[in-house]
Every structure is written in C-alpha cells, then in structure tokens.
C-alpha cells in the first residue's frame, strides 16, 4: 500500500487537531467547573440538567410562597395574641366593675379604660401586612376589616373567603383568616325569649354602656360574653398556629426535595477536578508527543538518501 505525502500530512493534521480539541475541551471544562460546557458535549445530560433546573425553579417558587405565607400568618398571630391580652384586661375590668363596693366615679374610670381598650382591639382587628393589605378582611384586602357606620356601630366589612396558595405540587394551604372567624359574634336573649346574634364590637360597646350606667345585670351578661369573644380569639389563634406548623413541615419537605435535586444536578454536570486535571495532563503529553513525532517524520525524504 502506498502512502502519499499528502495523505500522511492530512492524517497527521487530523490527529493533531483531535488531540488539540480534547485538550481545549478539558481546559474549558476546568475553567467553568462543569462537565457540560455546551449542549452538544452531551445532549442527553444537557436535557436532564434542563429538566432538573426547571424542577428546581418550581420548588424554589413554592419556598418563596411559603415565606410570604409565613410572614402573613405570623402577623395574624401577633395581632391575635395582642388582642387576647387586651381581652383578658377587659375581663378583669368588667369583673371589677361588677363589684358593688365600686364608687360611681371609679366605675366611670373603668368605663373609660374599657372604651379605650375596645378601640385598641378595633385597631388590632384592622392590622395590615407589610404591603398594606388588611389581614382580616378575607379577599377584600384593600378594605379595613371593621369600620364604623353612620351611627357609630362597628361592622365587619370583609368577606368570609379563605384564600389558598400552592405550596407544593399537590399541596395547598390557607393564606388568611377572615375576621369573622376570629372576632366572632355572641348569641344573647333579647328579653323576649328570642335568641339574637350580636357583633363582636357591639357586645363590647354594650359592656361599656352597662358599666357607665352601673347596670349590674348587663355587666354580668357582658362578663359572660367577653368569655365567648375570648374563646373565638383563642380558636383563631389555634387555627393560625396550625397553619404555621404546616408551613414549617412543608418547608422541611421542600428543603429535602431541593437538596435532592441539587445533588442530582451536581452529579450530572459538576466536574471531577482530579480526573479532569489528570486527563488534561495526558492530553498535553499526547499533543507534545504528536507534535514532536510529526516534526521529525515530516522532515524525512528519499531525496536525503540519494547521491
């Protein structure tokens, strides 16, 4: 078989180019720390990495949502805890006002403090989050949960909607608590044998009025109603606490999923530096050997042996 000079040079050039290409590829991998520098390096692995990154993006989106839910629920919890503390003080004052030894002047002072405490509860019921949304208005977040009408009566202005958000591929949870679920109504006898519902703040207003007037019967009724109102706040706190526990559990689940996805992605695309450096050194030696061999052989010619 005859090997022409042009064929030899062509083959040698191809070999040098291949070795140089392998060396350049390894050097590029080392520079970015990835096995896959461009999709053509390993199409199947590149496609897998793309799918993993898409999944990671979705899971981190759930984590961001959970952060927002946690902030809102924590604000609700704080508001309800503060409300509960105020309600305990209202109960203390109501019991104090029911004491027959209290003078009319002292009772008026108690009534004034009760009125101020009622206004404080109203302010807490109209708490807002960091974005200015009202916490207890249901889906009507731009409207104060409770406000006074023309007659001065405090009414609930929100709705009963419980907004839900996705916090997992198959998990949804509550984002809010309607004010009507925590600031509940009481049921009382209207004096005619009928049961009527009375709004949260109307009950407190009636208690203040009874204390001012020294109406012992209605003060006693108010004390019992304060217990009912406090129970509604406590149940609301329990619900928010349960939702916060779900946030913690779901965060744990998502952390594990994200860690697993990142580990899998790392296994697929991250570079083994030890192996890469070893390969680069071998490629450099192979290139130097090929270059040296080519240089020597390319100088051989029959004309050197002819006289």
């Amino acid at each position: 078989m005859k090997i022409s000079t042009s064929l030899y040079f062509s083959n040698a050039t191809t070999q040098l180019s291949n070795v140089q290409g392998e060396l350049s590829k390894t050097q590029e991998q080392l520079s970015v720390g990835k096995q896959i520098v461009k999709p053509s390096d390993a199409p199947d692995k590149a496609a897998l990495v793309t799918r993993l990154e898409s999944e990671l993006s979705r899971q981190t989106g759930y984590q961001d949502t959970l952060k927002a839910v946690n902030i809102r629920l924590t604000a609700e919890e704080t508001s309800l805890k503060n409300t509960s503390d105020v309600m305990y003080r209202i109960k203390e004052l109501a019991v104090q006002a029911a004491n027959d030894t209290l003078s009319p002047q002292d009772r008026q002072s108690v009534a004034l403090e009760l009125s101020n405490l009622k206004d404080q509860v109203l302010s807490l019921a109209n708490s807002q989050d960091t974005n200015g949304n009202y916490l207890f208005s249901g889906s009507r977040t731009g409207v104060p949960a409770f406000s006074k009408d023309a007659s001065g009566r405090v009414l609930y202005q929100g709705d009963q909607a419980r907004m839900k958000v996705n916090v997992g591929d198959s998990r949804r949870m509550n984002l809010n608590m309607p004010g009507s679920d925590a600031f509940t109504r009481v049921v009382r006898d209207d004096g005619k044998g009928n049961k009527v519902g009375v709004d949260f703040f109307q009950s407190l207003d009636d208690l203040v009025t009874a204390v001012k007037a020294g109406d012992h019967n209605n003060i006693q009724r108010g004390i019992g109603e304060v217990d009912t109102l406090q129970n509604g706040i406590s149940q609301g706190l329990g619900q928010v606490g349960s939702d916060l526990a779900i946030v913690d559990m779901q965060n744990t689940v998502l952390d594990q999923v994200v860690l697993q996805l990142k580990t899998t992605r790392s296994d697929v695309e991250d570079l083994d530096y030890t192996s890469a450096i070893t390969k680069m050194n071998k490629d450099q030696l192979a290139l130097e050997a090929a270059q040296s061999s080519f240089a020597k052989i390319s100088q051989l010619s029959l004309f050197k042996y002819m006289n």
Side-chain angles (χ1 to χ4, degrees):
M1 181 175 117
K2 295 182 179 179
I3 301 177
S4 65
T5 302
S6 62
L7 178 60
Y8 165 73
F9 273 92
S10 176
N11 289 341
T13 302
T14 300
Q15 182 183 8
L16 285 171
S17 177
N18 291 339
V19 175
Q20 180 66 54
E22 284 296 315
L23 179 60
S24 297
K25 178 180 177 181
T26 304
Q27 289 173 331
E28 192 173 8
Q29 288 175 330
L30 284 167
S31 68
V32 298
K34 303 292 182 183
Q35 295 184 56
I36 307 170
V37 178
K38 50 185 179 294
S40 59
D41 292 340
D44 56 336
K45 289 185 177 181
L48 176 57
V49 169
T50 299
R51 290 196 297 272
L52 289 171
E53 289 179 342
S54 177
E55 183 65 22
L56 268 171
S57 178
R58 185 163 70 254
Q59 298 301 326
T60 53
Y62 293 146
Q63 288 179 318
D64 291 341
T65 299
L66 276 174
K67 288 178 184 178
V69 172
N70 185 71
I71 291 173
R72 185 182 178 94
L73 291 177
T74 299
E76 290 181 4
E77 182 182 48
T78 300
S79 177
L80 291 175
K81 280 183 177 178
N82 291 336
T83 299
S84 181
D85 292 340
V86 175
M87 293 301 293
Y88 278 122
R89 177 57 181 164
I90 289 175
K91 173 70 176 295
E92 290 176 356
L93 290 173
V95 171
Q96 181 181 341
N99 192 327
D100 292 334
T101 62
L102 206 65
S103 69
Q105 292 79 9
D106 289 338
R107 193 169 281 111
Q108 294 301 313
S109 296
V110 170
L112 178 60
E113 184 176 351
L114 283 171
S115 181
N116 290 334
L117 291 174
K118 185 208 72 172
D119 290 340
Q120 186 176 349
V121 172
L122 177 59
S123 177
L124 289 168
N126 284 330
S127 296
Q128 296 169 275
D129 63 16
T130 54
N131 295 318
N133 298 316
Y134 290 92
L135 297 176
F136 299 107
S137 294
S139 64
R140 303 181 65 191
T141 56
V143 178
F146 297 89
S147 62
K148 295 180 180 180
D149 62 10
S151 64
R153 181 184 177 188
V154 177
L155 299 175
Y156 182 56
Q157 302 298 313
D159 56 28
Q160 282 67 48
R162 278 188 177 272
M163 297 178 287
K164 292 183 178 291
V165 291
N166 293 323
V167 293
D169 289 339
S170 58
R171 189 65 187 267
R172 290 168 60 82
M173 68 170 297
N174 295 325
L175 176 62
N176 71 307
M177 170 176 287
S180 54
D181 285 7
F183 299 88
T184 55
R185 308 181 81 198
V186 297
V187 177
R188 69 166 64 145
D189 192 324
D190 66 354
K192 300 178 182 179
N194 300 316
K195 299 295 183 181
V196 295
V198 179
D199 293 330
F200 185 98
F201 290 99
Q202 183 61 51
S203 175
L204 295 180
D205 277 335
D206 291 345
L207 174 60
V208 173
T209 300
V211 171
K212 286 181 179 179
D215 186 341
H216 290 283
N217 288 334
N218 284 335
I219 290 176
Q220 290 295 339
R221 183 192 67 189
I223 292 173
E225 290 182 352
V226 167
D227 287 336
T228 301
L229 300 178
Q230 178 69 282
N231 185 56
I233 298 296
S234 297
Q235 289 181 351
L237 264 173
Q239 180 61 59
V240 172
S242 177
D243 289 339
L244 282 170
I246 292 174
V247 169
D248 290 339
M249 289 187 292
Q250 188 64 11
N251 264 323
T252 300
V253 171
L254 290 177
D255 286 343
Q256 292 173 347
V257 171
V258 168
L259 177 60
Q260 183 178 6
L261 288 170
K262 286 183 177 179
T263 300
T264 302
R265 184 184 64 179
S266 177
D267 291 340
V268 173
E269 71 171 359
D270 286 356
L271 186 68
D272 183 340
Y273 278 92
T274 301
S275 298
I277 291 172
T278 300
K279 184 177 183 302
M280 183 183 70
N281 291 334
K282 288 181 179 179
D283 289 342
Q284 285 177 330
L285 288 174
L287 179 61
E288 290 171 1
Q291 288 173 334
S292 176
S293 175
F294 178 73
K296 291 178 180 180
I297 296 175
S298 64
Q299 294 175 1
L300 297 178
S301 172
L302 289 175
F303 291 105
K304 291 184 178 181
Y305 300 97
M306 296 177 63
N307 293 324

